Coordinates of all heavy atoms in Angstrom, one line a residue:
L1 N -73.2 -30.2 -20.7 CA -72.2 -31.2 -20.8 C -70.8 -30.6 -20.7 O -69.8 -31.2 -20.4 CB -72.3 -32.0 -22.1 CG -73.5 -32.9 -22.2 CD1 -73.6 -33.5 -23.6 CD2 -73.5 -34.0 -21.1
L2 N -70.7 -29.3 -21.1 CA -69.4 -28.7 -21.1 C -69.0 -28.1 -19.8 O -69.9 -27.6 -19.0 CB -69.4 -27.5 -22.1 CG -69.5 -27.8 -23.6 CD1 -69.7 -26.6 -24.4 CD2 -68.3 -28.7 -24.0
W3 N -67.7 -28.2 -19.5 CA -67.2 -27.5 -18.3 C -67.0 -26.0 -18.7 O -66.9 -25.7 -19.9 CB -65.9 -28.1 -17.9 CG -66.0 -29.5 -17.3 CD1 -67.1 -30.1 -16.9 CD2 -64.9 -30.4 -17.2 NE1 -66.8 -31.4 -16.4 CE2 -65.5 -31.6 -16.6 CE3 -63.6 -30.4 -17.4 CZ2 -64.7 -32.7 -16.3 CZ3 -62.8 -31.5 -17.1 CH2 -63.4 -32.7 -16.5
R4 N -66.9 -25.2 -17.7 CA -66.8 -23.7 -17.9 C -65.6 -23.4 -18.8 O -65.8 -22.6 -19.8 CB -66.7 -23.0 -16.6 CG -66.7 -21.5 -16.7 CD -66.7 -20.8 -15.3 NE -66.7 -19.4 -15.5 CZ -65.6 -18.7 -15.7 NH1 -64.5 -19.3 -15.7 NH2 -65.7 -17.4 -15.8
N5 N -64.5 -23.9 -18.5 CA -63.3 -23.6 -19.3 C -63.4 -24.1 -20.7 O -62.9 -23.4 -21.7 CB -62.0 -24.2 -18.6 CG -62.0 -25.7 -18.6 OD1 -63.0 -26.3 -18.3 ND2 -60.8 -26.3 -18.8
E6 N -64.1 -25.2 -21.0 CA -64.3 -25.7 -22.3 C -65.2 -24.7 -23.1 O -65.0 -24.4 -24.3 CB -64.9 -27.1 -22.3 CG -64.0 -28.1 -21.7 CD -64.7 -29.5 -21.4 OE1 -65.9 -29.5 -21.2 OE2 -64.0 -30.5 -21.4
A7 N -66.2 -24.2 -22.5 CA -67.1 -23.3 -23.1 C -66.4 -22.0 -23.5 O -66.6 -21.5 -24.6 CB -68.3 -23.0 -22.2
I8 N -65.5 -21.5 -22.6 CA -64.7 -20.3 -22.8 C -63.8 -20.5 -24.0 O -63.7 -19.7 -24.9 CB -64.0 -19.9 -21.6 CG1 -64.9 -19.4 -20.5 CG2 -62.9 -18.9 -21.9 CD1 -64.3 -19.2 -19.2
E9 N -63.2 -21.7 -24.1 CA -62.3 -22.0 -25.2 C -63.0 -22.1 -26.5 O -62.5 -21.5 -27.6 CB -61.6 -23.4 -25.0 CG -60.5 -23.3 -23.9 CD -60.0 -24.7 -23.5 OE1 -60.3 -25.7 -24.3 OE2 -59.3 -24.8 -22.5
I10 N -64.2 -22.6 -26.6 CA -65.0 -22.7 -27.8 C -65.4 -21.3 -28.2 O -65.3 -20.9 -29.4 CB -66.2 -23.6 -27.6 CG1 -65.8 -25.1 -27.4 CG2 -67.2 -23.5 -28.8 CD1 -66.9 -26.0 -26.9
L11 N -65.9 -20.5 -27.3 CA -66.3 -19.1 -27.6 C -65.1 -18.3 -28.1 O -65.3 -17.5 -29.0 CB -67.0 -18.5 -26.4 CG -68.4 -19.0 -26.1 CD1 -68.8 -18.5 -24.7 CD2 -69.3 -18.5 -27.2
A12 N -64.0 -18.5 -27.6 CA -62.8 -17.8 -28.0 C -62.4 -18.2 -29.5 O -62.1 -17.3 -30.3 CB -61.6 -18.1 -27.1
R13 N -62.6 -19.4 -29.8 CA -62.3 -19.9 -31.2 C -63.3 -19.2 -32.2 O -63.0 -19.0 -33.3 CB -62.4 -21.4 -31.3 CG -61.2 -22.1 -30.8 CD -61.1 -23.5 -31.3 NE -62.3 -24.3 -30.9 CZ -62.3 -25.0 -29.8 NH1 -61.3 -25.0 -28.9 NH2 -63.4 -25.8 -29.5
Y14 N -64.5 -18.9 -31.7 CA -65.5 -18.3 -32.5 C -65.5 -16.7 -32.4 O -66.4 -16.1 -32.9 CB -66.9 -18.8 -32.2 CG -67.1 -20.2 -32.8 CD1 -66.6 -21.3 -32.2 CD2 -67.7 -20.4 -34.1 CE1 -66.8 -22.6 -32.7 CE2 -67.9 -21.6 -34.6 CZ -67.4 -22.7 -33.9 OH -67.5 -24.0 -34.5
G15 N -64.5 -16.2 -31.7 CA -64.4 -14.7 -31.7 C -65.1 -14.0 -30.6 O -65.2 -12.8 -30.6
A16 N -65.7 -14.7 -29.7 CA -66.5 -14.0 -28.6 C -65.5 -13.5 -27.6 O -64.6 -14.1 -27.1 CB -67.4 -15.0 -27.9
D17 N -65.7 -12.2 -27.3 CA -64.9 -11.5 -26.3 C -65.6 -11.3 -25.0 O -66.8 -11.4 -24.9 CB -64.4 -10.1 -26.8 CG -63.6 -10.2 -28.0 OD1 -62.8 -11.2 -28.2 OD2 -63.6 -9.3 -28.9
R18 N -64.8 -11.1 -23.9 CA -65.4 -10.7 -22.6 C -66.4 -11.8 -22.1 O -67.5 -11.5 -21.6 CB -66.1 -9.4 -22.7 CG -65.2 -8.2 -23.1 CD -65.9 -6.9 -23.1 NE -65.0 -5.9 -23.5 CZ -64.7 -4.8 -22.8 NH1 -65.4 -4.6 -21.7 NH2 -63.9 -3.9 -23.2
V19 N -66.0 -13.0 -22.2 CA -66.8 -14.1 -21.7 C -66.3 -14.7 -20.4 O -67.0 -15.5 -19.7 CB -67.1 -15.2 -22.7 CG1 -67.9 -14.6 -23.9 CG2 -65.8 -15.8 -23.2
R20 N -65.0 -14.4 -20.0 CA -64.4 -15.0 -18.9 C -65.1 -14.7 -17.6 O -65.0 -15.5 -16.6 CB -62.9 -14.6 -18.8 CG -62.1 -15.2 -19.9 CD -60.6 -15.2 -19.6 NE -59.9 -15.8 -20.6 CZ -59.6 -17.1 -20.8 NH1 -60.1 -17.9 -19.9 NH2 -58.9 -17.5 -21.8
S21 N -65.8 -13.6 -17.5 CA -66.5 -13.3 -16.2 C -67.9 -13.9 -16.1 O -68.5 -13.8 -15.1 CB -66.6 -11.7 -16.2 OG -67.5 -11.3 -17.2
K22 N -68.3 -14.6 -17.2 CA -69.7 -15.2 -17.2 C -69.6 -16.5 -16.4 O -68.6 -17.2 -16.4 CB -70.1 -15.4 -18.6 CG -70.1 -14.2 -19.5 CD -71.1 -13.2 -19.1 CE -71.1 -12.1 -20.1 NZ -71.6 -10.8 -19.6
N23 N -70.8 -16.9 -15.9 CA -70.9 -18.2 -15.2 C -71.2 -19.2 -16.3 O -71.4 -18.9 -17.5 CB -71.9 -18.2 -14.1 CG -73.3 -17.9 -14.5 OD1 -73.7 -18.4 -15.6 ND2 -74.1 -17.2 -13.7
R24 N -71.2 -20.5 -15.9 CA -71.4 -21.6 -16.9 C -72.7 -21.5 -17.6 O -72.8 -21.7 -18.8 CB -71.2 -22.9 -16.1 CG -71.2 -24.1 -17.0 CD -70.9 -25.4 -16.2 NE -71.4 -26.5 -16.9 CZ -72.6 -27.0 -16.8 NH1 -73.5 -26.4 -16.0 NH2 -73.0 -28.0 -17.5
V25 N -73.8 -21.2 -16.9 CA -75.1 -21.1 -17.5 C -75.1 -20.0 -18.6 O -75.6 -20.2 -19.7 CB -76.2 -20.8 -16.4 CG1 -77.5 -20.5 -17.1 CG2 -76.3 -22.0 -15.5
Q26 N -74.5 -18.8 -18.2 CA -74.5 -17.7 -19.2 C -73.6 -18.1 -20.4 O -74.0 -17.8 -21.5 CB -73.9 -16.5 -18.5 CG -74.8 -15.9 -17.5 CD -74.1 -14.8 -16.7 OE1 -72.9 -14.9 -16.3 NE2 -74.8 -13.7 -16.4
L27 N -72.5 -18.8 -20.2 CA -71.7 -19.2 -21.3 C -72.5 -20.2 -22.2 O -72.4 -20.1 -23.4 CB -70.4 -19.9 -20.8 CG -69.4 -19.0 -20.1 CD1 -68.4 -19.9 -19.4 CD2 -68.8 -18.0 -21.0
C28 N -73.2 -21.1 -21.6 CA -74.0 -22.0 -22.5 C -75.1 -21.3 -23.2 O -75.4 -21.6 -24.4 CB -74.6 -23.1 -21.6 SG -73.4 -24.3 -21.0
Q29 N -75.7 -20.3 -22.7 CA -76.7 -19.5 -23.4 C -76.0 -18.7 -24.6 O -76.6 -18.7 -25.6 CB -77.3 -18.5 -22.4 CG -78.2 -19.1 -21.4 CD -78.7 -18.1 -20.3 OE1 -78.1 -17.1 -20.1 NE2 -79.8 -18.5 -19.7
I30 N -74.8 -18.2 -24.4 CA -74.1 -17.5 -25.4 C -73.8 -18.5 -26.5 O -73.9 -18.3 -27.7 CB -72.8 -16.8 -24.9 CG1 -73.2 -15.7 -23.9 CG2 -72.0 -16.3 -26.1 CD1 -72.1 -15.2 -23.1
L31 N -73.3 -19.7 -26.1 CA -73.0 -20.7 -27.1 C -74.2 -21.1 -28.0 O -74.1 -21.2 -29.2 CB -72.5 -22.0 -26.4 CG -71.0 -22.0 -26.0 CD1 -70.8 -23.2 -25.1 CD2 -70.1 -22.1 -27.2
A32 N -75.3 -21.3 -27.3 CA -76.6 -21.6 -28.0 C -77.0 -20.5 -29.0 O -77.6 -20.8 -30.0 CB -77.7 -21.9 -27.0
S33 N -76.8 -19.3 -28.6 CA -77.2 -18.2 -29.5 C -76.2 -17.9 -30.6 O -76.6 -17.4 -31.7 CB -77.5 -16.9 -28.7 OG -76.3 -16.4 -28.1
E34 N -75.0 -18.2 -30.4 CA -73.9 -17.8 -31.4 C -73.6 -18.9 -32.4 O -73.1 -18.6 -33.5 CB -72.6 -17.4 -30.7 CG -72.8 -16.1 -29.8 CD -73.1 -14.9 -30.6 OE1 -72.6 -14.7 -31.7 OE2 -73.9 -14.1 -30.2
L35 N -73.7 -20.2 -32.0 CA -73.3 -21.3 -32.9 C -74.5 -22.0 -33.4 O -75.6 -22.1 -32.8 CB -72.5 -22.3 -32.1 CG -71.0 -22.0 -31.9 CD1 -70.8 -20.8 -31.0 CD2 -70.3 -23.2 -31.3
S36 N -74.4 -22.5 -34.6 CA -75.4 -23.3 -35.2 C -75.5 -24.6 -34.4 O -74.6 -25.0 -33.7 CB -75.2 -23.6 -36.7 OG -74.1 -24.5 -36.8
L37 N -76.6 -25.3 -34.5 CA -76.8 -26.6 -33.8 C -75.7 -27.6 -34.2 O -75.1 -28.2 -33.4 CB -78.2 -27.1 -34.1 CG -78.5 -28.5 -33.4 CD1 -78.3 -28.3 -31.9 CD2 -79.9 -28.9 -33.7
N38 N -75.4 -27.7 -35.5 CA -74.4 -28.6 -36.0 C -73.0 -28.2 -35.5 O -72.3 -29.1 -35.1 CB -74.4 -28.7 -37.5 CG -75.6 -29.4 -38.1 OD1 -76.2 -30.2 -37.4 ND2 -75.9 -29.1 -39.3
S39 N -72.7 -27.0 -35.4 CA -71.4 -26.5 -34.9 C -71.3 -26.8 -33.4 O -70.3 -27.3 -32.9 CB -71.2 -25.0 -35.2 OG -71.1 -24.8 -36.5
L40 N -72.4 -26.5 -32.7 CA -72.4 -26.7 -31.3 C -72.2 -28.2 -30.9 O -71.5 -28.6 -30.1 CB -73.6 -26.1 -30.6 CG -73.7 -26.2 -29.1 CD1 -72.5 -25.6 -28.4 CD2 -75.0 -25.6 -28.7
R41 N -73.0 -29.0 -31.7 CA -72.9 -30.5 -31.5 C -71.5 -31.0 -31.7 O -71.0 -31.8 -30.9 CB -73.9 -31.1 -32.5 CG -73.9 -32.6 -32.3 CD -74.9 -33.3 -33.3 NE -76.2 -32.9 -33.1 CZ -77.0 -32.4 -34.0 NH1 -76.6 -32.3 -35.3 NH2 -78.3 -32.0 -33.7
A42 N -70.9 -30.5 -32.8 CA -69.5 -31.0 -33.1 C -68.5 -30.5 -32.0 O -67.6 -31.3 -31.6 CB -69.1 -30.4 -34.4
E43 N -68.7 -29.3 -31.5 CA -67.8 -28.8 -30.5 C -67.9 -29.5 -29.2 O -66.9 -29.9 -28.5 CB -68.0 -27.3 -30.3 CG -67.6 -26.4 -31.4 CD -66.1 -26.2 -31.6 OE1 -65.3 -26.7 -30.7 OE2 -65.7 -25.6 -32.6
V44 N -69.1 -29.8 -28.8 CA -69.4 -30.5 -27.5 C -68.8 -32.0 -27.7 O -68.1 -32.4 -26.8 CB -70.9 -30.6 -27.2 CG1 -71.1 -31.6 -26.0 CG2 -71.4 -29.2 -26.8
R45 N -69.1 -32.6 -28.8 CA -68.6 -33.9 -29.0 C -67.0 -34.0 -28.9 O -66.5 -34.9 -28.3 CB -69.0 -34.5 -30.4 CG -68.7 -35.9 -30.6 CD -69.4 -36.4 -31.9 NE -69.2 -37.8 -32.1 CZ -68.2 -38.4 -32.7 NH1 -67.3 -37.6 -33.3 NH2 -68.1 -39.7 -32.8
E46 N -66.4 -33.0 -29.6 CA -64.9 -33.0 -29.6 C -64.4 -32.7 -28.2 O -63.4 -33.3 -27.7 CB -64.4 -31.9 -30.6 CG -62.9 -32.0 -30.8 CD -62.4 -33.3 -31.3 OE1 -63.1 -34.0 -32.0 OE2 -61.2 -33.6 -31.0
S47 N -65.0 -31.8 -27.4 CA -64.6 -31.5 -26.1 C -64.7 -32.8 -25.2 O -63.8 -33.0 -24.4 CB -65.5 -30.4 -25.5 OG -65.2 -29.2 -26.1
L48 N -65.8 -33.5 -25.3 CA -65.9 -34.7 -24.5 C -64.9 -35.8 -24.9 O -64.3 -36.5 -24.1 CB -67.3 -35.3 -24.7 CG -68.4 -34.5 -24.1 CD1 -69.8 -35.1 -24.4 CD2 -68.3 -34.2 -22.6
K49 N -64.5 -35.9 -26.2 CA -63.6 -36.9 -26.7 C -62.2 -36.6 -26.1 O -61.4 -37.5 -25.8 CB -63.5 -36.9 -28.2 CG -64.7 -37.7 -28.8 CD -64.8 -37.6 -30.3 CE -63.6 -37.6 -31.1 NZ -63.8 -37.5 -32.5
V50 N -61.8 -35.3 -26.0 CA -60.4 -35.0 -25.6 C -60.3 -34.7 -24.2 O -59.2 -34.4 -23.7 CB -59.9 -33.8 -26.5 CG1 -59.9 -34.1 -27.9 CG2 -60.6 -32.5 -26.2
R51 N -61.4 -34.7 -23.4 CA -61.4 -34.4 -22.0 C -60.5 -35.4 -21.3 O -60.6 -36.6 -21.5 CB -62.8 -34.4 -21.4 CG -62.9 -33.9 -20.0 CD -64.3 -33.9 -19.5 NE -65.1 -32.8 -20.1 CZ -66.4 -32.7 -19.9 NH1 -67.0 -33.6 -19.1 NH2 -67.0 -31.7 -20.4
Q52 N -59.6 -34.9 -20.4 CA -58.8 -35.7 -19.6 C -58.9 -35.4 -18.1 O -59.3 -34.3 -17.8 CB -57.3 -35.5 -20.0 CG -57.0 -36.0 -21.4 CD -55.5 -35.8 -21.8 OE1 -54.7 -35.4 -20.9 NE2 -55.2 -36.0 -23.0
G53 N -58.6 -36.4 -17.3 CA -58.6 -36.2 -15.9 C -60.0 -36.0 -15.3 O -60.1 -35.5 -14.2
W54 N -61.0 -36.4 -15.9 CA -62.4 -36.2 -15.4 C -62.8 -37.4 -14.5 O -63.7 -37.3 -13.7 CB -63.4 -36.0 -16.5 CG -63.6 -37.2 -17.4 CD1 -62.9 -37.5 -18.5 CD2 -64.6 -38.2 -17.2 NE1 -63.4 -38.7 -19.0 CE2 -64.4 -39.1 -18.3 CE3 -65.6 -38.4 -16.3 CZ2 -65.2 -40.2 -18.5 CZ3 -66.4 -39.6 -16.5 CH2 -66.2 -40.4 -17.6
R55 N -62.0 -38.5 -14.6 CA -62.3 -39.6 -13.7 C -61.0 -40.3 -13.3 O -60.2 -40.7 -14.2 CB -63.2 -40.6 -14.4 CG -63.6 -41.8 -13.5 CD -64.2 -43.0 -14.2 NE -65.5 -42.6 -14.7 CZ -66.3 -43.5 -15.4 NH1 -65.8 -44.7 -15.7 NH2 -67.5 -43.1 -15.8
S56 N -60.8 -40.5 -12.1 CA -59.7 -41.2 -11.6 C -59.9 -42.7 -11.6 O -61.0 -43.1 -11.3 CB -59.4 -40.7 -10.2 OG -58.4 -41.5 -9.6
D57 N -58.9 -43.5 -11.8 CA -59.0 -44.9 -11.8 C -59.4 -45.4 -10.4 O -60.1 -46.4 -10.2 CB -57.7 -45.6 -12.2 CG -57.5 -45.5 -13.7 OD1 -58.5 -45.3 -14.4 OD2 -56.4 -45.7 -14.1
A58 N -59.0 -44.6 -9.4 CA -59.3 -44.9 -8.0 C -60.8 -44.8 -7.7 O -61.3 -45.5 -6.8 CB -58.6 -44.1 -7.0
Q59 N -61.5 -44.0 -8.5 CA -63.0 -43.9 -8.3 C -63.8 -45.0 -8.9 O -65.0 -45.1 -8.6 CB -63.4 -42.5 -8.8 CG -62.9 -41.3 -8.1 CD -63.3 -40.0 -8.7 OE1 -63.6 -40.0 -9.9 NE2 -63.4 -39.0 -7.9
R60 N -63.2 -45.7 -9.8 CA -64.0 -46.8 -10.4 C -64.3 -47.9 -9.5 O -63.5 -48.4 -8.7 CB -63.2 -47.4 -11.6 CG -63.0 -46.3 -12.7 CD -62.4 -47.0 -13.9 NE -62.3 -45.9 -14.9 CZ -61.6 -46.1 -16.0 NH1 -61.1 -47.3 -16.3 NH2 -61.5 -45.2 -16.9
V61 N -65.5 -48.3 -9.5 CA -66.0 -49.4 -8.6 C -66.4 -50.5 -9.5 O -67.2 -50.4 -10.4 CB -67.2 -48.9 -7.8 CG1 -67.7 -50.0 -6.9 CG2 -66.9 -47.7 -7.0
P62 N -65.8 -51.7 -9.2 CA -66.1 -52.9 -10.1 C -67.6 -53.3 -9.9 O -68.2 -53.1 -8.9 CB -65.2 -54.0 -9.6 CG -64.6 -53.5 -8.3 CD -64.8 -52.0 -8.2
Y63 N -68.1 -53.8 -11.0 CA -69.5 -54.2 -11.0 C -69.6 -55.4 -10.1 O -69.0 -56.4 -10.3 CB -69.9 -54.5 -12.4 CG -71.3 -55.0 -12.5 CD1 -72.4 -54.2 -12.3 CD2 -71.6 -56.3 -12.9 CE1 -73.7 -54.6 -12.4 CE2 -72.9 -56.8 -13.0 CZ -73.9 -55.9 -12.7 OH -75.2 -56.4 -12.9
A64 N -70.6 -55.4 -9.2 CA -70.8 -56.4 -8.2 C -71.9 -57.4 -8.6 O -72.2 -58.3 -7.9 CB -71.0 -55.9 -6.8
G65 N -72.5 -57.1 -9.8 CA -73.6 -58.0 -10.2 C -74.9 -57.8 -9.5 O -75.7 -58.7 -9.5
L66 N -75.1 -56.7 -8.8 CA -76.3 -56.5 -8.0 C -77.4 -56.0 -8.9 O -77.4 -55.2 -9.6 CB -76.0 -55.5 -6.8 CG -75.0 -56.1 -5.9 CD1 -74.7 -55.0 -4.8 CD2 -75.4 -57.3 -5.2

């Protein structure tokens, strides 16, 4: 659920170094091994809540009742 830059920001807050060169899958593996389930859950939830610009109003398609 996390974007690459979000995973990097979370890992930086938890003191992980040298993660910028990792791909998204590797970052998620590091997150899973370094954070408790409760911490990871809270971080993902917060990242999703504050995420901006992930959907443009122009992309929204009104429900056609189909």
Side-chain angles (χ1 to χ4, degrees):
L1 294 174
L2 292 174
W3 291 344
R4 186 176 178 277
N5 63 321
E6 293 167 336
I8 290 171
E9 290 172 11
I10 293 168
L11 286 167
R13 284 198 298 273
Y14 284 84
D17 295 329
R18 299 180 181 236
V19 294
R20 292 197 179 277
S21 63
K22 308 291 186 202
N23 65 39
R24 188 174 156 271
V25 171
Q26 292 169 321
L27 291 170
C28 290
Q29 290 171 340
I30 296 168
L31 281 167
S33 67
E34 297 295 323
L35 277 68
S36 70
L37 181 58
N38 287 336
S39 295
L40 183 55
R41 182 182 295 130
E43 291 287 354
V44 170
R45 185 171 189 270
E46 188 60 29
S47 293
L48 293 175
K49 284 174 32 179
V50 300
R51 188 181 284 175
Q52 295 181 8
W54 65 275
R55 181 192 291 178
S56 168
D57 287 337
Q59 291 178 333
R60 293 186 181 173
V61 177
Y63 178 68
L66 299 175

